[in-house]
Amino acid sequence: MPIALLPQTGRADDKKAVRAAVTEVLTDPGITRIVVEPRVAERFAPTVAHENDIYLAQVVAALMLADRLDVEVAYVSAEATPATRRYRLPHGPAARELAEHGTAVAVPLIRDDAATVVVGSARHLGAEGAKLHGETYVDNERLFDGEVRSILIEPTLAAPGLRAQVERMLLPGKWFAGRACQTGGTNIVVERDGVVNPRVLKRSTFYRHVTDLLLVRP
């Protein structure tokens, strides 16, 4: 099987550089699998984990925008991350072994209306530390209407594709599963794989892309 290794060489969130690297790999028409290998960093593990997932998300987004989701993706992270837990993937040497010899299966690809892919988790938050004011729906079911701390959104391995809950300090709300999670309000900011974009929005939607991701899994 023709496999291309795509190690991280720059910033995990450098969209232009990641897309250029993916484009270069795809110039070989024989490539059927990309091995995504984030750079090993000597930093505090939770930060590294998010950076690893951001790099994976950027690579998947580049494939999505190039309409090349027919290419399989293997994830070789040295550390456990939210994405490895979400998709039940190994990390370290076991991940490399899986990348070389494992089989790809279709899993839901979750993106937002800004064409950003999420592989670990996302949140709808209130701007500047305030409570989120508005309402959220998962498909046709309403999660809340009024004010809450935040909404947590996670990809799922199987259909319909994502789940969401109201986050509270003591007792989180129940999970709602669906194809899309949409929040409308007056002060929405979006967190994607641990990174908060300070831009204030009135609406944000995460949803299952029309084409699934071919992910190498145990």
Side-chain angles (χ1 to χ4, degrees):
M1 175 189 300
I3 297 176
L5 180 63
L6 197 64
Q8 179 186 345
T9 57
R11 288 173 53 95
D13 60 352
D14 188 339
K15 292 182 180 180
K16 186 175 180 181
V18 173
R19 289 176 185 175
V22 170
T23 298
E24 183 176 356
V25 166
L26 295 178
T27 58
D28 182 348
I31 294 299
T32 59
R33 176 176 297 182
I34 290 178
V35 178
V36 180
E37 186 174 21
R39 181 171 52 209
V40 176
E42 297 179 358
R43 276 187 281 175
F44 187 54
T47 302
V48 173
H50 280 306
E51 287 191 0
N52 289 359
D53 285 354
I54 291 167
Y55 184 60
L56 172 63
Q58 295 284 5
V59 172
V60 174
L63 289 172
M64 178 184 72
L65 293 171
D67 197 22
R68 288 302 312 272
L69 290 171
D70 59 307
V71 176
E72 300 172 357
V73 174
Y75 187 30
V76 180
S77 174
E79 304 86 10
T81 72
T84 62
R85 291 187 286 271
R86 203 78 62 233
Y87 296 111
R88 301 174 192 168
L89 299 172
H91 60 279
R96 184 171 297 282
E97 177 71 16
L98 180 66
E100 294 178 1
H101 305 291
T103 301
V105 297
V107 300
L109 191 165
I110 302 305
R111 56 169 292 182
D112 67 4
D113 36 18
T116 302
V117 169
V118 170
V119 295
S121 65
R123 284 181 171 84
H124 288 149
L125 308 162
E128 298 179 348
K131 287 187 175 181
L132 172 62
H133 179 77
E135 62 180 6
T136 296
Y137 281 84
V138 172
D139 293 349
N140 294 321
E141 295 188 87
R142 187 167 65 189
L143 267 68
F144 89 100
D145 180 7
E147 286 188 343
V148 295
R149 178 183 172 214
S150 58
I151 299 295
L152 174 64
I153 304 148
E154 296 179 349
T156 58
L157 268 174
L162 60 75
R163 65 178 188 171
Q165 70 172 188
V166 175
E167 288 192 296
R168 301 186 181 96
M169 292 295 293
L170 298 177
L171 185 63
K174 73 172 184 177
W175 288 105
F176 287 74
R179 291 185 62 88
C181 176
Q182 181 178 83
T183 297
T186 60
N187 66 334
I188 305 165
V189 295
V190 181
E191 176 187 302
R192 305 172 180 91
D193 289 320
V195 178
V196 177
N197 186 327
R199 182 185 177 190
V200 180
L201 307 173
K202 293 187 177 180
R203 188 172 305 277
S204 175
T205 305
F206 287 90
Y207 60 96
R208 183 178 180 178
H209 189 60
V210 293
T211 304
D212 287 344
L213 169 65
L214 294 177
L215 183 66
V216 179
R217 294 193 60 248

